[in-house]
Amino acid sequence: MQSMAGKYDENIGNILVKKGVLSKKKLDDILKEISSSQESLSAVLSRKNIIKQKEIIDILAKEFGLSVVDLNSFHIDDEVIKRIPARIAFYYNFIPLEFKDNSTLTIAVAYPMDVKTQDELMIHIGCSIKTVLASEDDINENLKRCYGLGADTLDKISLSVKGTTRPVSKEVENIEELAEDASIMKLVNQIIFEAYKRRATDIHIEPFRKEVSIRYRIDGVLYDANVSSDVKRFILPIISRIKIMCNLNIVEKRLPQDGRAVVKTHDQTLDLRISTLPTPYGESMVIRILPSKMLFSLEGLGLSDNDLNIVNKLIARPNGIIFITGPTGSGKTTTLYAALSKLNTRDRKIVTIEDPIEYELEGITQIQVAPDIGLDFAKGLRSILRHDPDIIMVGEVRDLETAEIAIRVSLTGHLVFSTLHTKDSSSGVARLIDIGIEPYLVASSIEAFIAQRLVRVICPYCKEEDRSISAELKNQIAQDLTLASPEEIRVFRGAGCQKCNFTGYTGRTGIYEILLMDDVIKELVVKMAPSDEIKKASIHRGMRTLKQDGWQKVMDGVTTPSEVLRVVSSEDSRFLYAEKGMSFSFSKESSIFLEQRSFKRLDARIRILYRIIKSKDELAAKGYLWDKFSTTNNISAGGVAFTAPEDIPGRNMFADANEIRRVSKEEIHRNMSRSIGTKFVEVKKR
């Protein structure tokens, strides 16, 4: 695709030198640089911020008397695309725009074509050519949009296998040979490089009965990759080629396989993690893309100034455990790496045990878990202690043994970082107790639970104010942030542009909830208070919830309300209003629990005498008096049937042996202190 550009680089460079926008020495240096690469002069000048491609196009248009077209706003008829083969459009690097009277084809090019090239193109297409100019980036993007990713490569492969008597997918030998074919290798490289350019974290290749789906996960959301429909014919050699890159068994298609490969792009090396699954229609594959080197900074994670100050104080402590909580894909490991990067100095020994090692951190000893040889988190953690570390990171606490060792390590003077899969910060306490850790150990060893989620960031190139936001949602934000009036709330959104692939979002940032284990919270933990009670106490003591942090980023124009509601539980608002003693009511669109209360909830554990009643007829047959009552089991609403059969001691709580009747809430409360020797159920009132 860059072959045409290479022919004109020196000529265009001389024009730029003549116009005074580039020195002769600078041109010679760049031409020497691109002689060993596939980049064009225009691309290098744009990448180095010397001159933009649009400015180069404007200079060339004036020099050669050609017009300029904006491909992003130009509508191209599908029939025009169908008449020009992909291999020709990609080779000569042009976009067919329109046919005039079926005798003249208007094409958009990045470089003015010489007479020889125009003659070659006329022979291939069979009509005269009219050229207009467009930027190189726009042409490359529109080639993929119009023809599909790798369409030229697929076209060449189709021609090379044309005439085979049997389908390629049925010949194992042919598949293996094709997997090593230069065209298949190029196609796989195009798929991976396109994913990297679009900031994708994963590539999903999924075969179905009638098609093959290739999708990129960008900013946490899956999008279809624009690939040619012909790709389904070559899915087997594509999968085999990726397996070869990872040293996996290309013959084994019945069992899942996991592998790793390292590839190099223009500016950095990518670490690929590959996983396959057998399906009825072939192997499904996911490729995770990890840059081998990344710069991690706590300041770049999206923490507010107050939260950043808290985190800096936490990681400066000499011992204890700091847990990062959240679901898979919420950025927990990135936060841990950012903390470790800040602590990574020559006077500290830092050791991590992970599954898998996602990024390489220079100066830090990193251990990969290998369960197949018996190296799990617990065993690795024991061995780490013999290496005299100052700081330890455990990828995840999954079981009692790992948790106990981590706590013991923290109590002996080490700072430990780890992760838990919980919905919020207060649920981390319940999770540890649930796997078997004693509450007093949780209270004495853990410094904080930090819950986080990732929300997409509004694209800065198409950012605009969102005036369609409902009054109910504004009220919700105002109440959650205790604002004086919802009128001061301004919400923004991304309209969608080429820079953000018309999604309205570019990149992601974090929203956080930091639960500090102070004396009050520790006392609640030791008493085994429920997570809800711990969360309410933390909010009362100044903790900002995930939803509040999300709303603040909405107010700051960083993200949108829909992103916050997508990743945060609606229960957050219930905790906020319960703490303030407020009732609340919102629309269904905001996904908030609808509730109206006249009185404050009672937080208490009560013991209820109960019996399961099967039917009215059964009661009547036993001589019980049937008084009209509702069959609800809502204690706070009243209407609960109580009975005390003769065979149960202490039966006369509310009624005689052969009587059953409706009992009011007041009567329940008056008699609750009595000791009753019968079956009980403990009900925790919300």
Side-chain angles (χ1 to χ4, degrees), residues 428-561:
V429 176
R431 172 64 180 148
L432 291 174
I433 294 175
D434 181 57
I435 64 176
I437 300 298
E438 293 293 335
Y440 75 91
L441 287 175
V442 175
S444 61
S445 62
I446 296 170
E447 299 295 332
F449 291 93
I450 303 175
Q452 71 175 76
R453 298 290 188 277
L454 292 178
V455 293
R456 291 182 289 175
V457 175
I458 299 171
C459 173
Y461 298 97
C462 58
K463 183 177 179 179
E464 63 180 20
E465 186 171 356
D466 184 3
R467 301 185 183 277
S468 64
I469 182 173
S470 65
E472 290 86 355
L473 192 53
K474 277 192 174 184
N475 287 333
Q476 178 185 346
I477 296 172
Q479 288 176 327
D480 282 354
L481 295 180
T482 62
L483 301 177
S485 168
E487 299 303 320
E488 60 185 279
I489 296 173
R490 293 182 67 204
V491 176
F492 295 87
R493 67 180 179 186
C497 64
Q498 189 178 16
K499 295 283 188 181
C500 61
N501 294 317
F502 300 96
T503 63
Y505 300 98
T506 304
R508 288 186 290 178
T509 190
I511 58 175
Y512 297 87
E513 174 182 292
I514 304 176
L515 191 157
L516 297 173
M517 297 288 286
D518 58 19
D519 292 339
V520 173
I521 302 301
K522 288 180 179 180
E523 185 178 350
L524 289 173
V525 172
V526 171
K527 290 180 179 178
M528 295 185 68
S531 299
D532 291 3
E533 192 173 334
I534 293 173
K535 186 160 190 173
K536 289 176 186 175
S538 300
I539 293 172
H540 179 71
R541 299 180 66 75
M543 181 183 80
R544 184 160 69 170
T545 67
L546 286 167
K547 179 167 280 187
Q548 285 177 308
D549 196 29
W551 288 151
Q552 188 58 54
K553 285 182 170 59
V554 169
M555 293 279 291
D556 294 339
V558 175
T559 189
T560 60

Side-chain angles (χ1 to χ4, degrees), residues 203-208 210-216 223-225 227 231-232 235 284-285:
I203 305 171
H204 293 250
I205 304 175
E206 302 157 308
F208 298 103
K210 295 182 179 179
E211 63 177 4
V212 171
S213 169
I214 298 181
R215 296 185 290 173
Y216 297 147
Y223 297 95
D224 285 318
V227 295
V231 75
K232 65 178 179 290
I235 186 61
S284 177
M285 178 176 283

Side-chain angles (χ1 to χ4, degrees), residues 392-417:
I392 299 172
M393 187 190 95
V394 183
E396 181 185 350
V397 169
R398 300 174 179 172
D399 51 51
L400 175 59
E401 187 178 12
T402 306
E404 284 180 334
I405 297 172
I407 286 174
R408 193 157 58 243
V409 169
S410 70
L411 292 175
T412 55
H414 299 82
L415 183 61
V416 180
F417 294 92

Side-chain angles (χ1 to χ4, degrees), residues 573-593:
S573 292
R574 175 168 63 86
F575 289 115
L576 292 170
Y577 300 134
E579 183 60 32
K580 299 170 189 172
M582 298 168 58
S583 62
F584 58 99
S585 175
F586 296 120
S587 67
K588 291 181 180 179
E589 295 122 44
S590 57
S591 304
I592 295 299
F593 178 68

Side-chain angles (χ1 to χ4, degrees), residues 117-132:
T117 304
Q118 289 195 44
D119 288 343
E120 290 177 4
L121 202 50
M122 288 172 62
I123 293 171
H124 283 297
I125 297 175
C127 62
S128 59
I129 303 297
K130 176 185 176 182
T131 60
V132 295

Side-chain angles (χ1 to χ4, degrees), residues 216-451:
Y216 297 147
R217 187 177 293 279
I218 304 170
D219 296 332
V221 179
L222 283 171
Y223 297 95
D224 285 318
N226 182 25
V227 295
S228 170
S229 58
D230 287 340
V231 75
K232 65 178 179 290
R233 296 176 52 203
F234 304 100
I235 186 61
L236 290 181
I238 289 172
I239 294 290
S240 295
R241 173 59 199 163
I242 298 171
K243 281 184 170 184
I244 290 170
M245 291 167 58
C246 306
N247 294 319
L248 297 180
N249 186 349
I250 66 172
V251 178
E252 181 57 74
K253 299 177 176 62
R254 301 165 301 172
L255 295 174
Q257 296 187 69
D258 296 306
R260 178 179 177 179
V262 177
V263 298
K264 186 169 179 57
T265 65
H266 290 304
D267 52 357
Q268 74 170 302
T269 301
L270 302 179
D271 191 356
L272 307 181
R273 306 295 172 84
I274 287 86
S275 181
T276 68
L277 284 175
T279 74
Y281 307 109
E283 287 182 286
S284 177
M285 178 176 283
V286 174
I287 305 171
R288 190 171 189 191
I289 304 173
L290 300 171
S292 59
K293 290 184 179 179
M294 286 187 67
L295 296 175
F296 297 99
S297 165
L298 285 174
E299 290 75 16
L301 296 179
L303 289 158
S304 65
D305 292 341
N306 183 56
D307 286 348
L308 182 60
N309 184 45
I310 292 173
V311 170
N312 282 326
K313 289 180 179 178
L314 284 172
I315 66 175
R317 296 185 181 183
N319 53 48
I321 304 179
I322 298 172
F323 276 109
I324 312 293
T325 75
T328 302
S330 57
K332 300 186 297 296
T333 304
T334 301
T335 301
L336 287 178
Y337 281 166
L340 292 180
S341 296
K342 185 153 192 173
L343 297 171
N344 186 17
T345 57
R346 296 302 298 171
D347 60 340
R348 291 190 179 100
K349 170 79 169 182
I350 303 176
V351 184
T352 74
I353 179 164
E354 308 169 59
D355 184 24
I357 297 173
E358 296 195 13
Y359 305 104
E360 295 178 11
L361 297 175
E362 190 173 346
I364 293 177
T365 303
Q366 296 175 272
I367 304 169
Q368 169 70 55
V369 168
D372 52 333
I373 60 172
L375 179 57
D376 54 16
F377 282 111
K379 187 171 183 179
L381 199 48
R382 288 194 203 95
S383 300
I384 287 172
L385 290 176
R386 302 189 189 101
H387 287 251
D388 187 29
D390 298 295
I391 299 167
I392 299 172
M393 187 190 95
V394 183
E396 181 185 350
V397 169
R398 300 174 179 172
D399 51 51
L400 175 59
E401 187 178 12
T402 306
E404 284 180 334
I405 297 172
I407 286 174
R408 193 157 58 243
V409 169
S410 70
L411 292 175
T412 55
H414 299 82
L415 183 61
V416 180
F417 294 92
S418 192
T419 67
L420 283 172
H421 285 155
T422 62
K423 67 176 182 177
D424 57 14
S425 57
S426 60
S427 299
V429 176
R431 172 64 180 148
L432 291 174
I433 294 175
D434 181 57
I435 64 176
I437 300 298
E438 293 293 335
Y440 75 91
L441 287 175
V442 175
S444 61
S445 62
I446 296 170
E447 299 295 332
F449 291 93
I450 303 175

